[in-house]
Amino acid sequence: MKQHLIANRFFYLLLLSLIIATSCGEQKPAGISEFPLDIEELTIGDVHTAYQNGTFTISQLTRAYLDRIEEIDRNGPGLNAVITVNPDALDIAARLDREWKEGKIRGPMHGIPVLLKDNIDTHDKMPNTAGSRALSGSYPLKDSYIVSKLREAGAVILGKTNLSEWANFRGERSSSGWSGVGGQTHNPYVLDRNPCGSSSGSGVAVSANLCMVAIGTETDGSIVCPANSNGIVGIKPTVGLLSRSGIIPISFTQDTPGPMARTVSDAAICLGTMVGVDSSDTKTYLSEGNYLSDYSVFLNRDGLKGKRIGVLKEPTGKHYKVDSLFFKAVDFIRGLGAEIIDVESIMAENIWDENYQVLLYEFKDGLNIYLASLEDPRVENLADLIKFNRNDSIELSFYDQNILIKAQEKGSLDSREYRDALDKVHHFMCTEGLDKVMEKHNLDAVIAPTGSPAWKTDHVNGDSFILGSSSPAAMCGYPNITVPMGFVDGLPVGISFFGKAWSEPVLIEMAYAYEQGTKHRMPPQFLESDLK
């Protein structure tokens, strides 16, 4: 009897303490969400419906993503996709909540949490490093143009993502997703596999549901390859559609930022918020009359019907499992009403060396201009950077800086060697290459497998690329969209749709129709190893 009374008393005291704690508004420890919020695979449409219905607020969603970054990226499986979290994210979210409550809804990106590749300037409490320890304390003096547009559209800047250092333009035998600042990013499907790059952290973060959308950058493959390896959508726009001002450069002729998302719809919505003519980037003058602020109008389920599509054979024959998925995709696309035309090759001759020379010249010129614009930089030019790396304990621990050294040896952009190489690339890759092929066959787009399944990360031998199809669009500055195509032994691979300049609307139509008809996207399971 006495034991029964004691038990009852204990239960009463426990219940009373819970009531008191609740009535006093006891605070949860920092980092714990106010309530369990399932954020996996949410789309922009889902989120805006939830805001409208009062299911959750912008602040609650932002907190949930910050918690997930802490639990999954920093701890848990340890993806290492996010270099730094924005300390102002919750304040931004609270301000946007107030606007929403007052009916001041800025548009489809209002209250959407976004991560940025860490080569994109933000004027806040986050440095912009390109993954280099030389820039670890570099705080930009203003937002990049696209960040200003994202803020204007109501996006919540969550933080910055890891990348292949200097966007993978530093040395030989590098490992994609490694940087001196951020270390190695891991593929969320199988952790010892590589995320590809250079927008590695952006691709992983989107795939692992650490954000709604991320922004990557591409010179050749740096958006579409990590999108391929991480099972997401990536849009590499026409060069000039989005401004590059405030983005650490490689190439004036090839660089572009672009959205990475889990769906074509979300990527298209984000793309439209970043367009505009920027006086600080002369390439954007070409976009006048060619850009749209709303690409969602091209989300057409019948977008493949009646299209003439070239099937590029060059990347095939290198991985039979990828080939099998690709030719199934071709049959599916044909079944949705597209006319298929085989294209054996695009390049009129091998111009890889000429393209490399262009990149070396433009990297030296662009990086020196960027570094000179910084306030009290640790390195003031490319020569300083090379010297810094030689004296640093981490920067050269895995691979060299031979690309930096070769770039430093180049002259100015007035050089005859540079001009001849640039003209040759444009002539053979574009005029006599992609342009000629598309005009000859009256094509709306060309399709190809985006890449191979993710390889095992290897800091001894570096990356193991087997196939890719990014170069024709990249070298010409033309748009390219990759969409999940299926899985090879549990690892995702994608299909690319690319075409002429400013053809984003028709590419979005086709990519969306394929995506909606196949639904290949599946979230990752964070396996330690596939033992293969």
Side-chain angles (χ1 to χ4, degrees):
M1 184 68 168
K2 185 176 181 181
Q3 288 177 336
H4 180 69
L5 290 173
I6 292 173
N8 280 345
R9 185 180 182 192
F10 175 78
F11 176 79
Y12 172 77
L13 290 173
L14 178 61
L15 181 62
L16 181 62
S17 66
L18 288 172
I19 292 170
I20 292 170
T22 303
S23 65
C24 293
E26 184 178 49
Q27 298 296 308
K28 291 180 180 290
I32 303 299
S33 298
E34 294 178 28
F35 58 96
L37 179 57
D38 184 6
I39 59 176
E40 287 201 38
E41 303 300 287
L42 286 177
T43 66
I44 290 174
D46 294 334
V47 167
H48 271 220
T49 298
Y51 291 162
Q52 195 68 44
N53 294 340
T55 306
F56 52 77
T57 66
I58 300 168
S59 296
Q60 288 167 334
L61 181 63
T62 301
R63 167 51 70 190
Y65 277 119
L66 292 172
D67 289 349
R68 188 169 173 88
I69 290 170
E70 182 65 27
E71 294 160 8
I72 291 179
D73 193 62
R74 304 286 173 81
N75 301 307
L79 300 173
N80 216 29
V82 180
I83 280 187
T84 185
V85 167
N86 186 0
D88 297 325
L90 288 172
D91 290 338
I92 295 169
R95 184 172 67 251
L96 291 168
D97 269 328
R98 289 192 293 271
E99 291 183 10
W100 188 284
K101 189 175 181 179
E102 294 167 0
K104 300 175 182 177
I105 301 171
R106 302 189 186 197
M109 286 297 289
H110 189 115
I112 301 302
V114 176
L115 284 167
L116 308 170
K117 186 176 180 179
D118 198 31
N119 62 348
I120 302 173
D121 283 354
T122 58
H123 182 50
D124 49 26
K125 298 168 186 173
M126 296 186 292
N128 191 31
T129 72
S132 170
R133 287 159 59 85
L135 295 184
S136 59
S138 177
Y139 291 85
L141 300 176
K142 64 178 183 178
D143 282 337
S144 60
Y145 182 85
I146 62 165
V147 169
S148 68
K149 297 287 285 186
L150 286 168
R151 292 195 200 274
E152 180 183 312
V156 179
I157 307 300
L158 275 181
K160 307 289 287 293
T161 58
N162 198 17
L163 67 159
S164 310
E165 188 173 312
W166 295 110
N168 217 10
F169 205 73
R170 198 198 80 173
E172 298 156 346
R173 297 197 179 280
S174 63
S175 172
S176 289
W178 184 89
S179 72
V181 172
Q184 179 65 55
T185 298
H186 306 286
N187 190 296
Y189 287 90
V190 182
L191 298 176
D192 64 356
R193 296 273 173 171
N194 196 269
C196 201
S198 64
S199 304
S200 312
S202 295
V204 170
V206 169
S207 184
N209 286 276
L210 305 182
C211 60
M212 290 291 301
V213 181
I215 309 302
T217 66
E218 176 164 329
T219 305
D220 189 342
S222 287
I223 288 174
V224 296
C225 187
N228 171 81
S229 296
N230 294 287
I232 64 169
V233 174
I235 298 181
K236 197 287 288 189
T238 303
V239 172
L241 185 67
L242 303 183
S243 171
R244 290 87 51 82
S245 66
I247 298 177
I248 298 173
I250 291 178
S251 167
F252 179 76
T253 58
Q254 291 182 210
D255 287 352
T256 180
M260 305 173 75
R262 290 180 290 276
T263 66
V264 174
S265 175
D266 285 359
I269 288 169
C270 184
L271 178 67
T273 66
M274 295 186 288
V275 299
V277 175
D278 175 16
S279 60
S280 297
D281 182 356
T282 57
K283 283 282 188 182
T284 64
Y285 293 146
L286 301 173
S287 73
E288 187 74 65
N290 289 309
Y291 72 79
L292 299 167
S293 58
D294 182 8
Y295 287 93
S296 66
V297 296
F298 301 103
L299 300 174
N300 179 10
R301 287 178 178 270
D302 294 322
L304 285 161
K305 189 174 182 179
K307 298 295 193 301
R308 288 178 58 85
I309 299 176
V311 174
L312 182 61
K313 295 296 189 67
E314 272 179 323
T316 64
K318 297 178 175 64
H319 195 299
Y320 77 95
K321 294 182 180 180
V322 174
D323 289 351
S324 177
L325 290 177
F326 178 62
F327 289 116
K328 285 180 182 178
V330 172
D331 288 340
F332 182 83
I333 289 168
R334 183 187 287 111
L336 290 183
E339 186 176 355
I340 299 298
I341 297 93
D342 286 342
V343 175
E344 294 299 325
S345 177
I346 286 178
M347 289 187 292
E349 71 170 42
N350 192 331
I351 45 78
W352 297 106
D353 185 63
E354 285 77 9
N355 183 247
Y356 184 43
Q357 299 308 311
V358 170
L359 299 186
L360 291 172
Y361 273 98
E362 293 185 346
F363 178 70
K364 179 182 180 181
D365 180 76
L367 185 62
N368 282 342
I369 291 171
Y370 178 84
L371 293 175
S373 73
L374 301 178
E375 185 177 44
D376 299 324
R378 188 180 298 180
V379 292
E380 296 183 357
N381 50 45
L382 179 55
D384 285 352
L385 173 61
I386 293 169
K387 182 178 180 181
F388 175 92
N389 288 340
R390 285 176 177 150
N391 295 324
D392 188 79
S393 61
I394 291 176
E395 286 294 347
L396 301 183
S397 57
F398 289 126
Y399 67 107
D400 59 40
Q401 57 176 341
N402 286 353
I403 294 176
L404 301 186
I405 293 170
K406 289 177 181 178
Q408 177 59 24
E409 293 169 352
K410 296 300 180 184
S412 73
L413 298 188
D414 294 326
S415 163
R416 179 66 179 269
E417 181 186 41
Y418 166 70
R419 291 294 176 187
D420 286 349
L422 185 62
D423 289 344
K424 193 171 183 180
V425 170
H426 186 269
H427 178 74
F428 287 108
M429 182 58 85
C430 310
T431 306
E432 292 296 316
L434 186 52
D435 289 342
K436 186 174 182 178
V437 165
M438 294 195 69
E439 289 165 8
K440 176 182 177 181
H441 299 290
N442 191 28
L443 300 178
D444 293 294
V446 175
I447 59 173
T450 307
S452 59
W455 56 88
K456 287 186 181 290
T457 295
D458 185 350
H459 287 294
V460 176
N461 298 305
D463 289 333
S464 300
F465 290 101
I466 296 175
L467 66 94
S469 59
S470 63
S471 292
M475 290 186 192
C476 294
Y478 293 170
N480 190 357
I481 302 178
T482 183
V483 179
M485 183 175 69
F487 289 81
V488 173
D489 298 328
L491 295 165
V493 290
I495 181 172
S496 286
F497 297 77
F498 55 93
K500 287 189 174 182
W502 321 114
S503 64
E504 283 83 0
V506 71
L507 297 182
I508 288 170
E509 273 194 324
M510 290 185 281
Y512 181 76
Y514 176 78
E515 174 199 54
Q516 293 301 300
T518 56
K519 301 279 189 177
H520 286 305
R521 160 70 188 173
M522 289 195 300
Q525 298 300 312
F526 313 112
L527 300 179
E528 288 288 337
S529 174
D530 56 7
L531 301 179
K532 291 184 176 66

mmCIF file with all atom_site columns, all heavy atoms in Angstrom, residues 416-428:
data_model
loop_
_atom_site.group_PDB
_atom_site.id
_atom_site.type_symbol
_atom_site.label_atom_id
_atom_site.label_alt_id
_atom_site.label_comp_id
_atom_site.label_asym_id
_atom_site.label_entity_id
_atom_site.label_seq_id
_atom_site.pdbx_PDB_ins_code
_atom_site.Cartn_x
_atom_site.Cartn_y
_atom_site.Cartn_z
_atom_site.occupancy
_atom_site.B_iso_or_equiv
_atom_site.pdbx_formal_charge
_atom_site.auth_seq_id
_atom_site.auth_comp_id
_atom_site.auth_asym_id
_atom_site.auth_atom_id
_atom_site.pdbx_PDB_model_num
ATOM 1   N N   . ARG A 1 416 ? 48.117 37.293 -78.878 1.00 0.00 ? 416 ARG A N   1
ATOM 2   C CA  . ARG A 1 416 ? 47.712 36.637 -80.127 1.00 0.00 ? 416 ARG A CA  1
ATOM 3   C C   . ARG A 1 416 ? 47.337 35.178 -79.858 1.00 0.00 ? 416 ARG A C   1
ATOM 4   O O   . ARG A 1 416 ? 46.387 34.650 -80.451 1.00 0.00 ? 416 ARG A O   1
ATOM 5   C CB  . ARG A 1 416 ? 48.847 36.730 -81.145 1.00 0.00 ? 416 ARG A CB  1
ATOM 6   C CG  . ARG A 1 416 ? 48.549 36.061 -82.488 1.00 0.00 ? 416 ARG A CG  1
ATOM 7   C CD  . ARG A 1 416 ? 47.436 36.778 -83.227 1.00 0.00 ? 416 ARG A CD  1
ATOM 8   N NE  . ARG A 1 416 ? 47.170 36.145 -84.509 1.00 0.00 ? 416 ARG A NE  1
ATOM 9   C CZ  . ARG A 1 416 ? 47.760 36.496 -85.655 1.00 0.00 ? 416 ARG A CZ  1
ATOM 10  N NH1 . ARG A 1 416 ? 48.688 37.458 -85.655 1.00 0.00 ? 416 ARG A NH1 1
ATOM 11  N NH2 . ARG A 1 416 ? 47.447 35.895 -86.787 1.00 0.00 ? 416 ARG A NH2 1
ATOM 12  N N   . GLU A 1 417 ? 48.087 34.531 -78.977 1.00 0.00 ? 417 GLU A N   1
ATOM 13  C CA  . GLU A 1 417 ? 47.801 33.129 -78.654 1.00 0.00 ? 417 GLU A CA  1
ATOM 14  C C   . GLU A 1 417 ? 46.387 32.987 -78.091 1.00 0.00 ? 417 GLU A C   1
ATOM 15  O O   . GLU A 1 417 ? 45.643 32.077 -78.478 1.00 0.00 ? 417 GLU A O   1
ATOM 16  C CB  . GLU A 1 417 ? 48.813 32.587 -77.643 1.00 0.00 ? 417 GLU A CB  1
ATOM 17  C CG  . GLU A 1 417 ? 48.571 31.121 -77.282 1.00 0.00 ? 417 GLU A CG  1
ATOM 18  C CD  . GLU A 1 417 ? 49.478 30.604 -76.175 1.00 0.00 ? 417 GLU A CD  1
ATOM 19  O OE1 . GLU A 1 417 ? 49.712 31.355 -75.194 1.00 0.00 ? 417 GLU A OE1 1
ATOM 20  O OE2 . GLU A 1 417 ? 49.928 29.445 -76.274 1.00 0.00 ? 417 GLU A OE2 1
ATOM 21  N N   . TYR A 1 418 ? 46.008 33.893 -77.202 1.00 0.00 ? 418 TYR A N   1
ATOM 22  C CA  . TYR A 1 418 ? 44.672 33.840 -76.600 1.00 0.00 ? 418 TYR A CA  1
ATOM 23  C C   . TYR A 1 418 ? 43.593 34.067 -77.651 1.00 0.00 ? 418 TYR A C   1
ATOM 24  O O   . TYR A 1 418 ? 42.610 33.311 -77.731 1.00 0.00 ? 418 TYR A O   1
ATOM 25  C CB  . TYR A 1 418 ? 44.546 34.884 -75.488 1.00 0.00 ? 418 TYR A CB  1
ATOM 26  C CG  . TYR A 1 418 ? 43.130 35.126 -75.048 1.00 0.00 ? 418 TYR A CG  1
ATOM 27  C CD1 . TYR A 1 418 ? 42.427 34.162 -74.335 1.00 0.00 ? 418 TYR A CD1 1
ATOM 28  C CD2 . TYR A 1 418 ? 42.465 36.323 -75.362 1.00 0.00 ? 418 TYR A CD2 1
ATOM 29  C CE1 . TYR A 1 418 ? 41.096 34.381 -73.943 1.00 0.00 ? 418 TYR A CE1 1
ATOM 30  C CE2 . TYR A 1 418 ? 41.156 36.550 -74.972 1.00 0.00 ? 418 TYR A CE2 1
ATOM 31  C CZ  . TYR A 1 418 ? 40.484 35.572 -74.257 1.00 0.00 ? 418 TYR A CZ  1
ATOM 32  O OH  . TYR A 1 418 ? 39.178 35.790 -73.876 1.00 0.00 ? 418 TYR A OH  1
ATOM 33  N N   . ARG A 1 419 ? 43.758 35.104 -78.461 1.00 0.00 ? 419 ARG A N   1
ATOM 34  C CA  . ARG A 1 419 ? 42.750 35.441 -79.466 1.00 0.00 ? 419 ARG A CA  1
ATOM 35  C C   . ARG A 1 419 ? 42.573 34.311 -80.485 1.00 0.00 ? 419 ARG A C   1
ATOM 36  O O   . ARG A 1 419 ? 41.450 33.965 -80.859 1.00 0.00 ? 419 ARG A O   1
ATOM 37  C CB  . ARG A 1 419 ? 43.135 36.740 -80.183 1.00 0.00 ? 419 ARG A CB  1
ATOM 38  C CG  . ARG A 1 419 ? 43.045 37.970 -79.310 1.00 0.00 ? 419 ARG A CG  1
ATOM 39  C CD  . ARG A 1 419 ? 41.608 38.247 -78.934 1.00 0.00 ? 419 ARG A CD  1
ATOM 40  N NE  . ARG A 1 419 ? 41.495 39.373 -78.011 1.00 0.00 ? 419 ARG A NE  1
ATOM 41  C CZ  . ARG A 1 419 ? 40.368 39.732 -77.438 1.00 0.00 ? 419 ARG A CZ  1
ATOM 42  N NH1 . ARG A 1 419 ? 39.256 39.069 -77.685 1.00 0.00 ? 419 ARG A NH1 1
ATOM 43  N NH2 . ARG A 1 419 ? 40.336 40.752 -76.606 1.00 0.00 ? 419 ARG A NH2 1
ATOM 44  N N   . ASP A 1 420 ? 43.676 33.728 -80.917 1.00 0.00 ? 420 ASP A N   1
ATOM 45  C CA  . ASP A 1 420 ? 43.601 32.638 -81.892 1.00 0.00 ? 420 ASP A CA  1
ATOM 46  C C   . ASP A 1 420 ? 42.901 31.417 -81.292 1.00 0.00 ? 420 ASP A C   1
ATOM 47  O O   . ASP A 1 420 ? 42.083 30.766 -81.959 1.00 0.00 ? 420 ASP A O   1
ATOM 48  C CB  . ASP A 1 420 ? 45.003 32.248 -82.365 1.00 0.00 ? 420 ASP A CB  1
ATOM 49  C CG  . ASP A 1 420 ? 45.604 33.272 -83.321 1.00 0.00 ? 420 ASP A CG  1
ATOM 50  O OD1 . ASP A 1 420 ? 44.859 34.170 -83.776 1.00 0.00 ? 420 ASP A OD1 1
ATOM 51  O OD2 . ASP A 1 420 ? 46.817 33.179 -83.601 1.00 0.00 ? 420 ASP A OD2 1
ATOM 52  N N   . ALA A 1 421 ? 43.243 31.111 -80.034 1.00 0.00 ? 421 ALA A N   1
ATOM 53  C CA  . ALA A 1 421 ? 42.627 29.951 -79.371 1.00 0.00 ? 421 ALA A CA  1
ATOM 54  C C   . ALA A 1 421 ? 41.129 30.165 -79.192 1.00 0.00 ? 421 ALA A C   1
ATOM 55  O O   . ALA A 1 421 ? 40.319 29.259 -79.428 1.00 0.00 ? 421 ALA A O   1
ATOM 56  C CB  . ALA A 1 421 ? 43.289 29.704 -78.023 1.00 0.00 ? 421 ALA A CB  1
ATOM 57  N N   . LEU A 1 422 ? 40.737 31.382 -78.783 1.00 0.00 ? 422 LEU A N   1
ATOM 58  C CA  . LEU A 1 422 ? 39.317 31.698 -78.584 1.00 0.00 ? 422 LEU A CA  1
ATOM 59  C C   . LEU A 1 422 ? 38.554 31.578 -79.898 1.00 0.00 ? 422 LEU A C   1
ATOM 60  O O   . LEU A 1 422 ? 37.453 30.995 -79.943 1.00 0.00 ? 422 LEU A O   1
ATOM 61  C CB  . LEU A 1 422 ? 39.184 33.105 -78.009 1.00 0.00 ? 422 LEU A CB  1
ATOM 62  C CG  . LEU A 1 422 ? 37.782 33.570 -77.628 1.00 0.00 ? 422 LEU A CG  1
ATOM 63  C CD1 . LEU A 1 422 ? 37.194 32.694 -76.530 1.00 0.00 ? 422 LEU A CD1 1
ATOM 64  C CD2 . LEU A 1 422 ? 37.815 35.035 -77.178 1.00 0.00 ? 422 LEU A CD2 1
ATOM 65  N N   . ASP A 1 423 ? 39.118 32.113 -80.977 1.00 0.00 ? 423 ASP A N   1
ATOM 66  C CA  . ASP A 1 423 ? 38.464 32.040 -82.289 1.00 0.00 ? 423 ASP A CA  1
ATOM 67  C C   . ASP A 1 423 ? 38.327 30.591 -82.749 1.00 0.00 ? 423 ASP A C   1
ATOM 68  O O   . ASP A 1 423 ? 37.293 30.202 -83.312 1.00 0.00 ? 423 ASP A O   1
ATOM 69  C CB  . ASP A 1 423 ? 39.261 32.832 -83.328 1.00 0.00 ? 423 ASP A CB  1
ATOM 70  C CG  . ASP A 1 423 ? 39.171 34.337 -83.110 1.00 0.00 ? 423 ASP A CG  1
ATOM 71  O OD1 . ASP A 1 423 ? 38.270 34.768 -82.361 1.00 0.00 ? 423 ASP A OD1 1
ATOM 72  O OD2 . ASP A 1 423 ? 40.008 35.068 -83.674 1.00 0.00 ? 423 ASP A OD2 1
ATOM 73  N N   . LYS A 1 424 ? 39.335 29.797 -82.501 1.00 0.00 ? 424 LYS A N   1
ATOM 74  C CA  . LYS A 1 424 ? 39.317 28.401 -82.940 1.00 0.00 ? 424 LYS A CA  1
ATOM 75  C C   . LYS A 1 424 ? 38.262 27.610 -82.181 1.00 0.00 ? 424 LYS A C   1
ATOM 76  O O   . LYS A 1 424 ? 37.533 26.800 -82.777 1.00 0.00 ? 424 LYS A O   1
ATOM 77  C CB  . LYS A 1 424 ? 40.703 27.770 -82.757 1.00 0.00 ? 424 LYS A CB  1
ATOM 78  C CG  . LYS A 1 424 ? 40.857 26.432 -83.472 1.00 0.00 ? 424 LYS A CG  1
ATOM 79  C CD  . LYS A 1 424 ? 42.302 25.958 -83.432 1.00 0.00 ? 424 LYS A CD  1
ATOM 80  C CE  . LYS A 1 424 ? 42.453 24.660 -84.223 1.00 0.00 ? 424 LYS A CE  1
ATOM 81  N NZ  . LYS A 1 424 ? 43.850 24.152 -84.214 1.00 0.00 ? 424 LYS A NZ  1
ATOM 82  N N   . VAL A 1 425 ? 38.163 27.829 -80.870 1.00 0.00 ? 425 VAL A N   1
ATOM 83  C CA  . VAL A 1 425 ? 37.143 27.140 -80.074 1.00 0.00 ? 425 VAL A CA  1
ATOM 84  C C   . VAL A 1 425 ? 35.756 27.485 -80.591 1.00 0.00 ? 425 VAL A C   1
ATOM 85  O O   . VAL A 1 425 ? 34.910 26.601 -80.796 1.00 0.00 ? 425 VAL A O   1
ATOM 86  C CB  . VAL A 1 425 ? 37.267 27.504 -78.581 1.00 0.00 ? 425 VAL A CB  1
ATOM 87  C CG1 . VAL A 1 425 ? 36.059 26.989 -77.802 1.00 0.00 ? 425 VAL A CG1 1
ATOM 88  C CG2 . VAL A 1 425 ? 38.546 26.921 -77.981 1.00 0.00 ? 425 VAL A CG2 1
ATOM 89  N N   . HIS A 1 426 ? 35.496 28.756 -80.799 1.00 0.00 ? 426 HIS A N   1
ATOM 90  C CA  . HIS A 1 426 ? 34.176 29.178 -81.248 1.00 0.00 ? 426 HIS A CA  1
ATOM 91  C C   . HIS A 1 426 ? 33.862 28.633 -82.641 1.00 0.00 ? 426 HIS A C   1
ATOM 92  O O   . HIS A 1 426 ? 32.737 28.162 -82.908 1.00 0.00 ? 426 HIS A O   1
ATOM 93  C CB  . HIS A 1 426 ? 34.073 30.709 -81.262 1.00 0.00 ? 426 HIS A CB  1
ATOM 94  C CG  . HIS A 1 426 ? 32.693 31.197 -81.572 1.00 0.00 ? 426 HIS A CG  1
ATOM 95  N ND1 . HIS A 1 426 ? 32.279 31.472 -82.864 1.00 0.00 ? 426 HIS A ND1 1
ATOM 96  C CD2 . HIS A 1 426 ? 31.615 31.428 -80.772 1.00 0.00 ? 426 HIS A CD2 1
ATOM 97  C CE1 . HIS A 1 426 ? 31.009 31.865 -82.838 1.00 0.00 ? 426 HIS A CE1 1
ATOM 98  N NE2 . HIS A 1 426 ? 30.591 31.848 -81.588 1.00 0.00 ? 426 HIS A NE2 1
ATOM 99  N N   . HIS A 1 427 ? 34.844 28.646 -83.503 1.00 0.00 ? 427 HIS A N   1
ATOM 100 C CA  . HIS A 1 427 ? 34.608 28.184 -84.882 1.00 0.00 ? 427 HIS A CA  1
ATOM 101 C C   . HIS A 1 427 ? 34.313 26.686 -84.927 1.00 0.00 ? 427 HIS A C   1
ATOM 102 O O   . HIS A 1 427 ? 33.307 26.261 -85.516 1.00 0.00 ? 427 HIS A O   1
ATOM 103 C CB  . HIS A 1 427 ? 35.815 28.503 -85.762 1.00 0.00 ? 427 HIS A CB  1
ATOM 104 C CG  . HIS A 1 427 ? 35.669 28.016 -87.173 1.00 0.00 ? 427 HIS A CG  1
ATOM 105 N ND1 . HIS A 1 427 ? 34.836 28.629 -88.088 1.00 0.00 ? 427 HIS A ND1 1
ATOM 106 C CD2 . HIS A 1 427 ? 36.230 26.940 -87.822 1.00 0.00 ? 427 HIS A CD2 1
ATOM 107 C CE1 . HIS A 1 427 ? 34.889 27.977 -89.235 1.00 0.00 ? 427 HIS A CE1 1
ATOM 108 N NE2 . HIS A 1 427 ? 35.722 26.954 -89.105 1.00 0.00 ? 427 HIS A NE2 1
ATOM 109 N N   . PHE A 1 428 ? 35.186 25.888 -84.311 1.00 0.00 ? 428 PHE A N   1
ATOM 110 C CA  . PHE A 1 428 ? 35.061 24.443 -84.441 1.00 0.00 ? 428 PHE A CA  1
ATOM 111 C C   . PHE A 1 428 ? 34.025 23.832 -83.495 1.00 0.00 ? 428 PHE A C   1
ATOM 112 O O   . PHE A 1 428 ? 33.394 22.829 -83.841 1.00 0.00 ? 428 PHE A O   1
ATOM 113 C CB  . PHE A 1 428 ? 36.422 23.772 -84.243 1.00 0.00 ? 428 PHE A CB  1
ATOM 114 C CG  . PHE A 1 428 ? 37.345 23.960 -85.401 1.00 0.00 ? 428 PHE A CG  1
ATOM 115 C CD1 . PHE A 1 428 ? 38.438 24.804 -85.305 1.00 0.00 ? 428 PHE A CD1 1
ATOM 116 C CD2 . PHE A 1 428 ? 37.111 23.301 -86.595 1.00 0.00 ? 428 PHE A CD2 1
ATOM 117 C CE1 . PHE A 1 428 ? 39.292 24.988 -86.383 1.00 0.00 ? 428 PHE A CE1 1
ATOM 118 C CE2 . PHE A 1 428 ? 37.958 23.478 -87.682 1.00 0.00 ? 428 PHE A CE2 1
ATOM 119 C CZ  . PHE A 1 428 ? 39.051 24.321 -87.577 1.00 0.00 ? 428 PHE A CZ  1
#
